[in-house]
Amino acid sequence: YEEECEAEPTDARKIMILGSGPNRIGQGIEFDYCSCHASFALKEMGIESIMVNCNPETVSTDYDTSDRLYFEPLTFEDVMNIVEKEKPDGIIVQFGGQTPLNLTKPLSNAGVKIMGTSPDSVDLAEDRERFNEFLDGLDIRYPKHAFASTLDEAHDVASKLGYPVLVRPSYVLGGRAMAIVYDPQELSKFATEAFAASSQNSVLIDKFLEDAFEVDVDCLCDGENAIVAAIMQHVEQAGVHSGDSSCVLPTYKIDEKHKDEIRDWTKRMAVGLKVQGLMNIQFAIAGGLLYVLEANPRASRTIPYVAKATGVPLAKMATRLMVGETLESLGLTDDLKVKYHFVKTPVFPYSKFPGVDPRLSPEMRSTGEVMGVSKRLGAAFYKAQLAAGNRLPTEGKILITVNSEDHMGVLPTAKKLSDLGFELLATRGTAKTLADNGVDVGVVLKHHEGRPSCVDLIKNDEIALVINTPLGAPAVKDGREIRMASVEHGVPFMTTLSGAAAAAEAIADLKQGNIVEVACLQEIHAE
């Protein structure tokens, strides 16, 4: 840019990789892992790798990761300056998350070759209207929805679909401006934010599937054939951003019929989109039916987790597919399997933000993730929680305060915790259901009912674990003080029934002395 150019391009075959840019909440370090593995794969193939990224905290910007490193912002203008100088054979945009993916169209329009999945397929998956037409053509189910371009239209759509609804713009990073809305007042607030975040000046309003299982799927495709790398079940309910959900591989509560349907839909979508490389799809199971929530024709933040669990370097394989190899030539003709339980748990920065409600939502808040591995699901969940900074208790008092819909659902977990020797405390409605069903439980006051309340008990360090499920607007607001007090005082808390059940399973394993086995990934895969 100045008096002297230090680039000195070579004449070798070269491919440029766009990194993920600055780290911020909503864009995990997992994408840096993928970018590095792409560089390593190109090196193995004898192709010169050019890394473009601007984050000093990443491995991709280490001087010896790639053949050439440009420490520049990920904007169209800056990337094109490098393209004009280096003249690469193509650019990989799949491994940096949403930031480089948003450059796909302008770069392609400027005549730059995009490696792997075509820019049109990327746009088809990102543009909600085109994507839903694509799903209709494949006869694949998705939640009822409509688009709105004004606030009045948004209110009309929401009233027709029925609350709660999920409001979301297209082409956003980390679920930004997505929200679950329970009434018209909330809709006015969140739809205005979504319009501001949308590059298309329209927002998608989905009927929100309450109390649904969510499933994450990663797959590899060479344009003609696809394999499923992993079907991961979220511990949290649908509506929580996938980057903020603990998830389990293999699944533990999904029947074979739905798993077969997931594999079928995934492969048909990947081949239909002519994906070359990686694709991530999010499904929900509600009322016994499978729905597609969204598909991303790129590496997802679960790729490092799945690669470590399966022992297959997915980002490297995807890079080879982009360069023209096939799944068959890579020896990947069958869906990948795992023999252990692998649990991924996100790490949150809540302690750095006093006063922020730690309730999970469609907008991503985590800043990292950890993994627990064991032959038993409970032990794997315990290890993951421990690594994330949540030490599950083996004794003490447990506060249970769940919404009315979950009173019966929490019963098996409450019984299990009581049998494990914990003293249970619950707010009035929850306590009545538990007591009526033979569970020994004490009654505590809600925060607004007087003193000492359940929040006071948390602040006095009398509570070892909190189970609080918000479902519907009133329950969300009621639990805010409980959740904030839990974060402030370092008390582990679960905001879903499935999370509470997994925690009870983990505590049972812990009390039986089944946690101690430790093995490195190399030992596990050597088996």
Side-chain angles (χ1 to χ4, degrees):
Y1 289 120
E2 297 172 14
E3 291 178 7
E4 181 188 356
C5 177
E6 299 168 3
E8 297 179 6
T10 68
D11 294 327
R13 186 185 180 193
K14 59 183 89 164
I15 291 176
M16 184 187 289
I17 303 161
L18 301 188
S20 57
N23 267 7
R24 57 260 198 223
I25 295 172
Q27 182 107 332
I29 200 74
E30 300 88 351
F31 296 122
D32 194 59
Y33 165 99
C34 294
S35 299
C36 291
H37 276 240
S39 187
F40 302 153
L42 292 176
K43 198 169 285 188
E44 289 167 10
M45 289 184 279
I47 300 171
E48 186 178 295
S49 56
I50 302 168
M51 184 71 68
V52 181
N53 206 1
C54 56
N55 180 1
E57 293 295 317
T58 56
V59 180
S60 64
T61 52
D62 284 1
Y63 73 93
D64 58 351
T65 295
S66 301
D67 293 308
R68 302 173 78 73
L69 167 68
Y70 283 86
F71 199 94
E72 298 293 341
L74 287 155
T75 68
F76 172 70
E77 182 182 355
D78 288 285
V79 171
M80 282 306 296
N81 286 160
I82 303 164
V83 167
E84 286 156 11
K85 196 72 192 171
E86 286 282 355
K87 299 182 174 56
D89 295 346
I91 294 185
I92 293 175
V93 297
Q94 271 189 36
F95 294 136
Q98 195 67 39
T99 304
L101 209 65
N102 287 347
L103 294 175
T104 306
K105 221 173 180 176
L107 287 172
S108 177
N109 291 342
V112 177
K113 184 184 179 188
I114 304 298
M115 303 297 292
T117 309
S118 73
D120 185 61
S121 290
V122 172
D123 183 67
L124 198 161
E126 289 279 295
D127 185 313
R128 300 292 174 186
E129 289 192 67
R130 288 189 68 197
F131 181 60
N132 290 336
E133 285 172 17
F134 167 73
L135 293 180
D136 286 335
L138 292 176
D139 196 24
I140 288 175
R141 193 182 303 108
Y142 53 89
K144 286 183 181 176
H145 71 280
F147 292 88
S149 51
T150 66
L151 200 53
D152 286 342
E153 275 183 30
H155 280 287
D156 287 344
V157 167
S159 62
K160 282 174 188 166
L161 291 175
Y163 291 95
V165 293
L166 179 66
V167 178
R168 56 179 173 178
S170 295
Y171 298 99
V172 293
L173 171 80
R176 186 165 66 87
M178 284 191 199
I180 301 164
V181 171
Y182 290 93
D183 55 49
Q185 290 72 33
E186 285 188 344
L187 181 66
S188 296
K189 174 178 180 284
F190 288 116
T192 303
E193 289 177 15
F195 283 125
S198 173
S199 59
Q200 315 253 317
N201 200 34
S202 73
V203 297
L204 175 65
I205 299 175
D206 279 316
K207 174 64 183 165
F208 177 61
L209 305 172
E210 280 204 295
D211 217 16
F213 287 120
E214 190 162 336
V215 180
D216 236 314
V217 177
D218 283 320
C219 76
L220 280 167
C221 184
D222 58 15
E224 294 183 5
N225 295 295
I227 64 160
V228 172
I231 300 175
M232 298 155 274
Q233 183 177 342
H234 289 205
V235 171
E236 279 73 26
Q237 67 192 43
V240 172
H241 192 285
S242 60
D244 283 356
S245 292
S246 290
C247 69
V248 177
L249 178 65
T251 59
Y252 64 104
K253 269 188 181 176
I254 295 175
D255 58 39
E256 280 304 319
K257 179 192 87 166
H258 283 131
K259 283 196 268 192
D260 289 342
E261 205 171 11
I262 286 168
R263 290 186 193 100
D264 174 50
W265 287 12
T266 297
K267 291 173 184 178
R268 286 200 284 133
M269 288 168 67
V271 173
L273 285 166
K274 295 184 173 60
V275 169
Q276 273 185 282
L278 285 160
M279 182 166 83
N280 172 265
I281 305 173
Q282 282 153 37
F283 295 92
I285 300 169
L289 294 175
L290 182 68
Y291 297 85
V292 169
L293 300 181
E294 64 176 285
N296 295 301
R298 58 168 171 82
S300 72
R301 53 180 58 77
T302 52
I303 289 301
Y305 160 62
V306 176
K308 289 168 194 292
T310 59
V312 176
L314 297 175
K316 280 187 175 182
M317 297 295 113
T319 305
R320 289 181 169 273
L321 295 175
M322 285 183 228
V323 175
E325 294 190 41
T326 64
L327 287 167
E328 192 174 5
S329 70
L330 295 172
L332 296 170
T333 53
D334 297 318
D335 295 344
L336 304 184
K337 293 180 173 61
V338 293
K339 290 182 179 176
Y340 279 61
H341 290 283
F342 295 83
V343 177
K344 182 205 84 168
T345 292
V347 177
F348 296 97
Y350 292 136
S351 59
K352 306 285 192 295
F353 297 105
V356 171
D357 184 357
R359 175 180 169 254
L360 302 177
S361 76
E363 197 158 34
M364 185 175 160
R365 296 177 174 195
S366 62
T367 49
E369 60 190 26
V370 293
M371 182 169 82
V373 185
S374 178
K375 288 177 180 173
R376 290 170 302 282
L377 176 59
F381 187 82
Y382 173 78
K383 286 180 175 180
Q385 288 292 315
L386 191 63
N390 298 321
R391 186 177 288 276
L392 295 176
T394 53
E395 58 185 10
K397 296 175 183 175
I398 294 179
L399 171 64
I400 303 176
T401 167
V402 298
N403 68 77
S404 54
E405 299 278 325
D406 288 340
H407 282 173
M408 291 305 293
V410 81
L411 193 56
T413 299
K415 280 182 175 172
K416 182 161 199 163
L417 291 168
S418 180
D419 291 344
L420 288 168
F422 288 94
E423 182 184 340
L424 303 187
L425 300 172
T427 47
R428 194 175 293 112
T430 306
K432 183 179 185 311
T433 302
L434 297 181
D436 288 350
N437 287 276
V439 178
D440 192 11
V441 60
V443 180
V444 292
L445 298 173
K446 288 185 179 178
H447 184 56
H448 62 271
E449 290 177 342
R451 311 293 289 270
S453 69
C454 53
V455 174
D456 292 326
L457 297 182
I458 295 169
K459 290 180 176 177
N460 293 338
D461 296 325
E462 292 181 45
I463 302 295
L465 176 70
V466 172
I467 298 171
N468 166 244
T469 65
L471 188 76
V476 166
K477 286 161 187 164
D478 281 350
R480 179 185 168 89
E481 296 292 335
I482 293 171
R483 295 188 294 274
M484 284 165 59
S486 300
V487 169
E488 199 177 322
H489 293 269
V491 179
F493 62 96
M494 300 292 152
T495 58
T496 61
L497 291 187
S498 46
E505 199 72 37
I507 291 166
D509 258 5
L510 178 62
K511 293 196 77 156
Q512 288 161 15
N514 289 332
I515 299 299
V516 293
E517 95 281 357
V518 175
C520 65
L521 287 170
Q522 287 85 343
E523 289 170 347
I524 289 169
H525 293 308
E527 290 180 17

